[in-house]
Amino acid sequence: MTTKTSKKTNPFAPLIMDVAVPLGSYYLFKDAFGTSTFAALAWSSVVPAARTTWSVVKERRTNGLAGLILVVNVVSLLLSFVSGDPRLMLVKDSGVSSTVAIGILVSVVLGKPMMTAALKPFLVKDDAAKEAAWQRLASGAAAGSAVFLRKERAFSVVWGVALLAECLVRLVGAYTLPVETMVWLGGVIMAVTVLLGFVVSGALGGGPMESLVRAEAAKAAEKREVALAG
């Protein structure tokens, strides 16, 4: 008998690392250390860039999306250091959002919705029966496969559209609002986007997919019981 131990991750960790830490460090550098707005923005971008680099190293395999985000971070930082324009630092966040959004939408077109990898652990929950049910639904072998695959695509599309919208709002704000305003407002925009993303994608994709997985697992269990009884 083998015991499976799963390492639970905090779903809010990316939000904390990409929003709370940069925002807090910006005010720390600007107000406590007295650095310029540009310098504070530059230093507060180090943690998200380092996190992206670490994710690539940790996975030990090529990850196109993570690589694109890393490139956007590095290029934006270099351009900002050369130009000294703090607004360009703010546009960097829009570049990251648009890169992720485009990657997600392209993955849907290619038939491999990118957000599925993030959703599956929450629906399967290390349950062997649900894992098998997921595989049958995803492979097209189950009666509900067509609906399942459609909802799977919808889940990723919602996130792709939400991140594109966030990108446009950030971009407009970066060049129309004061830099100090966009520093904290950018975090609010991302938090609202994530919240709406969870609610809408859950209603249009995640929730129905969970019901289909549960129903398919229950159907398989009933078949086993009938077979044993016979």
Side-chain angles (χ1 to χ4, degrees), residues 87-101:
R87 293 188 183 277
L88 188 57
M89 295 292 295
L90 295 173
V91 172
K92 172 185 68 66
D93 295 328
S94 295
V96 173
S97 294
S98 63
T99 299
V100 176

Side-chain angles (χ1 to χ4, degrees), residues 111-136:
K112 297 180 179 180
M114 190 175 293
M115 294 301 293
T116 297
L119 175 65
K120 184 178 178 182
F122 288 96
L123 301 191
V124 173
K125 299 183 176 66
D126 290 326
D127 186 309
K130 289 184 178 179
E131 172 69 32
W134 177 289
Q135 295 300 332
R136 288 193 297 274

Side-chain angles (χ1 to χ4, degrees), residues 97 101 156-168 193-194 196-197:
S97 294
S156 283
V157 168
V158 167
W159 280 104
V161 171
L163 290 174
L164 270 182
E166 185 223 9
C167 165
L168 293 175
T193 299
V194 171
L196 289 176

Side-chain angles (χ1 to χ4, degrees), residues 15-27 40 44-45 47-48 183:
L15 188 61
I16 294 172
M17 294 299 290
D18 292 335
V19 178
V21 171
L23 181 60
S25 59
Y26 168 82
Y27 286 110
S44 65
S45 299
V47 171
V183 168

